[in-house]
Amino acid sequence: MAPMATHPLTVGFDLDMTLIDSRPGIHAAYLALSAETGVWIDADLAVTRLGPPLELELAHWFPDAQIQEMGDRYREIYATYAIEPTLALPGAREAVAAVQELGGRAIVVTAKHEPNAKLHLAHLGIAPDEVIGWLWAEAKAEALREHGASVYVGDHTGDVRGAHTAEALAVAVPTGPCDAAELREAGADVILDDLTAFPDWLRSYSRK
């Protein structure tokens, strides 16, 4: 019997508020959707609770019967309004590159619509080995397991749950809606101030 293939070091990253500050772009997309539909959306409030799937946010502003339609429309206009204003968070490119420099694979696992996630990464010059969209919280474990990820990096308590469901190390950064205390309470194994600290941490982790 042939030996089982072993995975190289594989690290998963969340996207919104972990690798990218998508608040300006998402804010613009919500305002555009509001203007088009005539339905008031508090975009300032919406961008303070990024992480969960879009439909959960839309449920605050639209009746249930319209959520699917509004979600589809939001994703259609997203590329027009949200890509250009979105910025890379400090250390994002270096964090992804640090995995690859060690001979590992960096994957992005996000709840975001996958084509839009890829547009963000290409626009910002962040080059993971794989991008998997449409997965939130515990469901992220599907992709993490499939790709053999031993570490998952995110900014939300849902990311911690996803990592642990996949039996991966949960590395958290309080750069999104959840502060360090919330992430620690959720069970994060490692908390870094931001991704600028990630390459040094990864080098230390990989030597163990």
Side-chain angles (χ1 to χ4, degrees):
M1 182 183 294
M4 289 182 64
T6 57
H7 289 280
L9 169 68
T10 300
V11 176
F13 293 90
D14 176 51
L15 183 64
D16 289 280
M17 303 313 300
T18 298
L19 290 173
I20 66 173
D21 185 351
S22 51
R23 290 172 298 183
I26 290 173
H27 190 279
Y30 277 131
L31 290 183
L33 185 66
S34 178
E36 183 177 300
T37 61
V39 174
W40 182 72
I41 298 172
D42 187 343
D44 291 339
L45 177 59
V47 298
T48 68
R49 46 193 186 198
L50 300 182
L54 169 66
E55 284 73 15
L56 296 183
E57 182 61 43
L58 292 176
H60 292 289
W61 315 110
F62 295 94
D64 289 349
Q66 293 182 15
I67 289 174
Q68 184 62 56
E69 178 189 355
M70 291 301 101
D72 291 345
R73 182 57 183 153
Y74 174 93
R75 293 182 182 101
E76 287 174 0
I77 65 175
Y78 187 92
T80 300
Y81 295 97
I83 304 302
E84 188 67 33
T86 293
L87 304 172
L89 281 164
R93 296 181 186 88
E94 293 83 357
V96 169
V99 178
Q100 296 163 335
E101 286 164 6
L102 288 172
R105 299 180 72 250
I107 65 173
V108 170
V109 183
T110 174
K112 190 179 287 297
H113 182 49
E114 190 174 304
N116 288 336
K118 291 177 176 178
L119 287 175
H120 277 303
L121 293 162
H123 178 72
L124 294 170
I126 301 172
D129 297 282
E130 194 82 33
V131 180
I132 306 98
W134 293 98
L135 296 174
W136 158 242
E138 289 84 354
K140 292 187 175 189
E142 299 169 18
L144 297 175
R145 286 190 181 119
E146 179 183 347
H147 291 275
S150 58
V151 176
Y152 185 61
V153 186
D155 66 283
H156 199 283
T157 55
D159 297 323
V160 175
R161 299 199 307 272
H164 287 165
T165 301
E167 299 181 340
L169 196 72
V171 177
V173 286
T175 47
C178 301
D179 63 23
E182 290 175 272
L183 294 165
R184 190 174 296 109
E185 185 176 348
D189 300 296
V190 177
I191 297 177
L192 306 174
D193 288 342
D194 60 30
L195 286 182
T196 62
F198 181 80
D200 283 345
W201 174 84
L202 182 66
R203 284 188 283 271
S204 175
Y205 168 78
S206 68
R207 288 194 291 268
K208 294 177 183 177

